[in-house]
Amino acid sequence: MGKGAGDGTGQSPGRPDQGGSDHGGPAQGHRGPGSPPVVDHVPTRDKVVFLTYDDGAERDPRFIDLVRRRRLPVSMFLTDSVVGPGYGHFARLRSVGASLQNHTLDHPALRGLPYAGQRAEICGQQRKLTSRFGIRPHLFRPPYGAYDATTLRAAADCGIAAVVLWRVTLEGDGTLTYVRGAHRLAPGDIISVPAGEIPPLTLAERTTRLLRELEEQGLRVGRLEDYVR
C-alpha cells in the first residue's frame, strides 16, 4: 500500500527557501526561543498513529458515520475560505468526536509573508472557529507545510501550542507516501489526509482502507490532542 518519494508519487521535504505541498513533504523553517514546537511524529511507545484531515473541501456524509461508528478521534484542520457554507458538516463531525483545528483563513503559503499577514491568517481563523464553535484551537497546520520563523512567532501570538506537520500522506487512491524515514507506518506517525478535487476514493473509503491496514499492523488511531498540547 505504501509508496515513497522515489516512486514518483510523493515529494521530498522542501528546502528552507521553498514551499511544500499538501500532498508532498512539508517545508521546514527555523524555530526560535518561545516558539511553538513543530511536530510530524510523536515519540510514544503507544501503538497509535494520528489521522489529520486538511482544508475541509471534502464533506462526505459517510465519513461522519464512520467516525461515529468507529469512534475515531480524528483532527480536522479547517480553512475558512475552503469550508465556506459547510461549517454545519464539521459541527456534526465535532459532535461525534472529531476535533477542529486551525489551517488559516485563506490557505496561502505563509513562508516569506510579513508578520502582520501571517498573524491575520492564523488569528483570524482562531476567531472564526471560536465564534462558530466556542473553541480555541491550540494546534495549527500551515498550508502546504510551508512556514518560517515568522510563522512560528505569529502562531505563538495567536495562542497556538504546536505546529503540526506530517510524516505520512494518505493519497486520493488510498496509497501511503512517506515524507522521510522508513516507508512503513510506525507508532506516533502523524498522517495527513489532504483534500483532493476528485479523488478516486471517497474520504470514507480511503479512511476505511487505512483502518484495515492499521489493524493488520496492530496499530490504532490515537487522539492527537492528548499527545500534543
Side-chain angles (χ1 to χ4, degrees), residues 181-224:
H183 290 184
R184 62 179 182 274
L185 290 169
D189 276 345
I190 297 175
I191 302 172
S192 169
V193 186
E197 291 185 4
I198 308 178
L201 300 176
T202 68
L203 202 57
E205 289 169 340
R206 296 187 331 256
T207 303
T208 298
R209 180 177 293 190
L210 175 61
L211 292 175
R212 286 198 295 265
E213 178 157 336
L214 295 180
E215 290 167 358
E216 290 170 1
Q217 297 186 34
L219 297 168
R220 61 182 175 84
V221 180
R223 183 174 179 83
L224 182 62

Side-chain angles (χ1 to χ4, degrees), residues 72-141:
L72 297 176
V74 298
S75 302
M76 316 298 296
F77 286 85
L78 301 182
T79 295
D80 182 68
S81 64
V82 176
V83 174
Y87 273 106
H89 173 86
F90 294 98
R92 291 189 289 275
L93 266 172
R94 182 170 178 256
S95 74
V96 297
S99 76
L100 307 182
Q101 303 294 344
N102 190 326
H103 198 44
T104 71
L105 282 174
D106 298 307
H107 208 270
L110 295 176
R111 174 184 291 279
L113 295 181
Y115 170 82
Q118 297 204 39
R119 188 179 191 279
E121 283 287 337
I122 302 169
C123 287
Q125 183 64 343
Q126 291 286 86
R127 289 190 292 270
K128 286 277 188 179
L129 294 173
T130 299
S131 173
R132 289 184 177 274
F133 300 107
I135 60 174
R136 188 74 174 173
H138 69 280
L139 302 181
F140 170 66
R141 172 167 286 164

